[in-house]
């Protein structure tokens, strides 16, 4: 009996400490292509609505370099590396972005794309510098 209780407690501890970020992807998309390596993310779509979450692994301190374009809609990109979600940039109808920002240190970095309704013809690239 004690062994069974110990196994149940051990299983619960493992489940509770398993790297949950708290961010969940939930979206509707068509013509959607995405790529995620340990140091960069890429996303291209014909239409996208919702939230997409990527995870990067920073090996040293630095910034996030990004390029993005959006034909129609509103899109905001956030990053989180210390448990605080901060805005990196946002795009509206017809805007483009090519810059860097979002200081990060060694560790896990979450990139969160969120739309305000339906977006069309977008492309986004973000990488660690």
């Amino acid at each position: 009996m004690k062994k069974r209780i110990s196994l149940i407690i051990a299983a619960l501890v493992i489940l509770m400490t398993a790297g949950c970020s708290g961010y969940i992807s939930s979206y509707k998309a068509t013509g959607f292509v995405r790529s995620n390596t340990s140091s960069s993310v890429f996303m291209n779509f014909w239409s996208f609505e919702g939230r997409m979450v990527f995870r990067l692994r920073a090996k040293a301190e630095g910034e996030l370099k990004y390029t993005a374009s959006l034909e129609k809609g509103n899109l905001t990109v956030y990053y989180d590396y210390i448990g605080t979600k901060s805005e990196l940039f946002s795009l509206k109808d017809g805007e483009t972005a090519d810059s860097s920002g979002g200081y990060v240190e060694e560790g896990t970095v979450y990139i969160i794309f969120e739309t305000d309704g339906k977006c069309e013809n977008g492309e986004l690239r973000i990488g660690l510098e």
Side-chain angles (χ1 to χ4, degrees):
M1 183 70 167
K2 288 182 181 180
K3 194 173 190 177
R4 187 175 292 176
I5 292 173
S6 295
L7 286 173
I8 291 171
I9 291 172
L12 288 174
V13 168
I14 290 170
L15 287 174
M16 291 170 54
T17 60
C20 295
S21 71
Y23 300 113
I24 297 172
S25 296
S26 175
Y27 59 89
K28 292 188 280 183
T30 55
F32 182 51
V33 178
R34 67 178 178 202
S35 173
N36 188 183
T37 67
S38 63
S39 62
S40 68
V41 300
F42 169 77
M43 188 169 138
N44 187 315
F45 56 85
W46 290 337
S47 71
F48 183 90
E49 182 175 2
R51 174 191 294 158
M52 185 72 206
V53 180
F54 294 98
R55 190 173 109 175
L56 302 176
R57 182 61 89 176
K59 294 181 180 176
E61 65 181 59
E63 288 188 315
L64 298 166
K65 179 167 177 43
Y66 55 87
T67 60
S69 64
L70 183 64
E71 188 174 297
K72 199 180 231 186
N74 295 316
L75 171 74
T76 304
V77 179
Y78 301 93
Y79 72 101
D80 177 344
Y81 88 96
I82 56 171
T84 303
K85 184 176 164 182
S86 303
E87 185 174 328
L88 183 61
F89 67 93
S90 62
L91 294 175
K92 296 179 182 174
D93 294 338
E95 290 185 337
T96 62
D98 185 4
S99 189
S100 61
Y103 175 79
V104 298
E105 294 178 3
E106 183 177 352
T108 302
V109 180
Y110 295 96
I111 305 295
I112 305 115
F113 296 95
E114 291 184 351
T115 67
D116 179 13
K118 185 177 177 181
C119 290
E120 295 180 4
N121 296 325
E123 183 173 310
L124 303 108
R125 294 176 190 273
I126 299 176
L128 293 166
E129 276 191 345

